[in-house]
Amino acid sequence: MHKRSAEAYQRALQLIPGGVNSPVRAFKGVGGTPVFFESGEGPFLFDLDGNKYVDYVASWGPMLQGYSFPPVVQAVSTQAQRATSFGAPCMLELELANLLVSSVPSLEKVRMVNSGTEATMSVIRLARGITNRDRIVKFTGCFHGHADSLLVQAGSGVLTLGLPDSPGVPTALAQQTLSLPYNDIEAVQDVFTQFGNEIAAVIVEPIAGNMGCIPPVAGFLEELRTQTTQHGSLLIFDEVMTGFRVALGGAQEMFKVTPDLTTLGKVVGGGLPVGAFGGSAELMDQLAPLGPIYQSGTLSGNPLAMAGGFALLNSLDTDFYDKLDELTDYCTNGIRDLAKKHNIGLCVNSVCGMFSFNFTSQSRVSNYHEVEQCDSTRYAKFFHEMLRQGIYFAPSAYECAFVSGSHTTLEIDQTLAVFDDVLKLL
Ligand code: HOZ
């Protein structure tokens, strides 16, 4: 069934470390060998061996309207015939920047980069430069890309591979990063009592998405806003996953908490390599060439990525999010019902378009510690059975699943039927 993928993986192992360009893809979290994909259309993916899957990975988020979304394909093809890169200003940058600024509450000015990692790395430098402080507060199990300061007790691939910290990150730098339990309001108050005037910024996924999907508890984001304001620190929302995924204005619009700085990625390039960060004009104007804080990139504002991103984001409106929300509820309620039917402990978390489920008897999963108690071995078995029957979930118990505007109840019913079958086997 996966003969050609298996052959390709053997070749890849000779050429690319671990055969992959990003660790989670290697299937280490679920065992077996990765599937190599050839194409995608709407909610479906097709692999090298001609297998078809209903997909819930969505390239880890950006396929908000499904694969090969015609407006994105058209915009990128048209731009490819004009130029693939300028390394100089172009009008597409303005159009996308305008769309971001008019949609996301905290943005007055925005700078484009090439990935979410680049966005978070740059925003941390900006926050440190502005406040003249070094300490950063993050939350255990949140993932903000692989920049040195943020690769401390991180989620996503480091969690999948069980590597809480990475060699190569200078100890002196890692010590500047304080990692607290997600959703723990008291821990936030304590850290500010102790280090308040040393903290440059708090960075948080306003809905955690890299240890599964974990919504913030009531008052958590509000407390971050209060403490940072009181202590002259900056609040950064990493909306690489939630930006344009849960609402046009992201999680900050949904929870009505406005951070000082925001990072975006994935979705805002329509699936092309892109990232962005922004905030008030006052803060953002501290960047070179206006201010002293340096950040740059030859491919930043790349016209292909700008064209793809603009075409995707321009297709979104409130009806789109209502539909996405409905579809996600349809799917997650179906999953809950099946777990009950089979008497299997499953905790399902979801927020508009993103969801995750943990094999556990706990009634809630709201932080990394609770995620750790869940049964990832069972997830691995589940994953492979679903894959065998044509449903592609993330090859890791710690990543979110995503529903797109191209999914319909038809694909979701198909998914639930397979889910029903697979739960019998667990
Ligand atoms: N860490 C990414 C998802 N949260 C996975 C990236 C990838 O393998 O493409």
Side-chain angles (χ1 to χ4, degrees):
M1 174 176 185
H2 294 123
K3 186 170 171 288
R4 293 181 67 191
S5 277
E7 286 164 5
Y9 183 55
Q10 288 312 313
R11 241 188 102 200
L13 286 170
Q14 308 304 312
L15 299 166
I16 301 171
V20 289
N21 284 309
S22 189
V24 180
R25 300 177 197 181
F27 277 35
K28 292 277 183 249
V30 289
T33 56
V35 178
F36 278 58
F37 291 105
E38 205 160 54
S39 63
E41 198 179 343
F44 304 112
L45 276 176
F46 301 87
D47 73 11
L48 273 191
D49 293 274
N51 300 304
K52 178 180 178 180
Y53 305 88
V54 178
D55 168 66
Y56 291 92
V57 177
S59 185
W60 310 99
M63 295 299 126
L64 206 48
Q65 294 275 29
Y67 293 88
S68 308
F69 181 50
V72 172
V73 173
Q74 174 76 54
V76 172
S77 323
T78 304
Q79 183 54 41
Q81 286 165 30
R82 293 185 178 145
T84 55
S85 177
F86 296 118
C90 67
M91 287 309 288
L92 289 162
E93 293 170 289
L94 293 192
E95 282 170 25
L96 186 59
N98 184 46
L99 209 154
L100 300 186
V101 164
S102 52
S103 307
V104 182
S106 63
L107 303 184
E108 280 177 10
K109 284 196 175 178
V110 67
R111 184 159 276 181
M112 306 295 177
V113 290
N114 299 290
S115 69
T117 289
E118 218 185 302
T120 55
M121 181 186 82
S122 307
V123 90
I124 290 296
R125 182 177 307 144
L126 180 62
R128 284 178 164 151
I130 289 169
T131 57
N132 207 14
R133 300 173 179 179
D134 289 341
R135 284 199 196 271
I136 300 293
V137 171
K138 73 175 286 289
F139 295 90
T140 304
C142 282
F143 183 70
H144 305 288
H146 62 92
D148 285 350
S149 286
L150 297 167
L151 210 50
V152 175
Q153 301 197 8
S156 190
V158 272
L159 184 50
T160 304
L161 301 180
L163 306 168
D165 298 303
S166 171
V169 175
T171 311
L173 195 59
Q175 279 169 349
Q176 300 299 333
T177 304
L178 305 166
S179 196
L180 309 181
Y182 193 77
N183 273 332
D184 189 336
I185 294 176
E186 219 171 289
V188 171
Q189 292 163 341
D190 289 350
V191 86
F192 272 96
T193 305
Q194 205 179 339
F195 298 108
N197 56 6
E198 297 173 36
I199 296 170
V202 173
I203 184 165
V204 66
E205 290 181 84
I207 300 164
N210 285 286
M211 47 177 164
C213 172
I214 300 194
V217 296
F220 177 60
L221 299 176
E222 290 79 356
E223 188 63 19
L224 297 182
R225 182 64 285 173
T226 303
Q227 292 289 337
T228 46
T229 305
Q230 274 175 8
H231 292 89
S233 311
L234 297 174
L235 178 59
I236 304 168
F237 276 8
D238 179 348
E239 297 233 40
V240 166
M241 202 172 268
T242 52
F244 294 91
R245 158 64 56 185
V246 297
L248 264 182
Q252 55 196 268
E253 174 191 311
M254 179 173 260
F255 294 107
K256 299 189 177 35
V257 176
T258 306
D260 300 296
L261 294 161
T262 297
T263 58
L264 296 162
K266 307 181 198 250
V267 178
V268 299
L272 283 92
V274 92
F277 65 102
S280 67
E282 192 193 346
L283 296 179
M284 291 301 286
D285 285 348
Q286 295 302 313
L287 286 171
L290 280 183
I293 301 167
Y294 200 73
Q295 181 278 331
S296 69
T298 297
L299 292 173
S300 296
N302 173 267
L304 286 184
M306 298 298 103
F310 185 77
L312 176 64
L313 301 189
N314 211 25
S315 74
L316 309 174
D317 55 21
T318 47
D319 288 350
F320 170 84
Y321 291 100
D322 290 345
K323 181 183 154 203
L324 201 60
D325 205 16
E326 254 173 52
L327 276 174
T328 310
D329 281 351
Y330 185 75
C331 186
T332 50
N333 288 334
I335 292 174
R336 280 190 197 96
D337 290 347
L338 289 172
K340 245 185 239 152
K341 172 176 158 189
H342 292 281
N343 201 20
I344 285 188
L346 202 67
C347 181
V348 187
N349 284 344
S350 71
V351 185
C352 183
M354 57 195 277
F355 69 97
S356 66
F357 40 88
N358 289 93
F359 290 99
T360 177
S361 52
Q362 300 170 113
S363 58
R364 62 163 212 184
V365 175
S366 64
N367 59 31
Y368 171 77
H369 176 70
E370 286 162 8
V371 170
E372 261 189 323
Q373 315 299 312
C374 301
D375 188 348
S376 56
T377 312
R378 213 168 200 191
Y379 181 86
K381 188 160 186 218
F382 161 87
F383 167 82
H384 281 290
E385 278 305 323
M386 295 297 284
L387 187 72
R388 209 175 53 75
Q389 298 195 48
I391 313 289
Y392 188 59
F393 278 106
S396 159
Y398 307 110
E399 301 283 352
C400 280
F402 299 101
V403 173
S404 77
S406 68
H407 284 82
T408 67
T409 49
L410 222 65
E411 289 81 41
I412 294 178
D413 284 340
Q414 184 190 338
T415 305
L416 293 173
V418 177
F419 220 103
D420 194 6
D421 248 25
V422 170
L423 287 189
K424 278 180 215 148
L425 304 173
L426 294 183

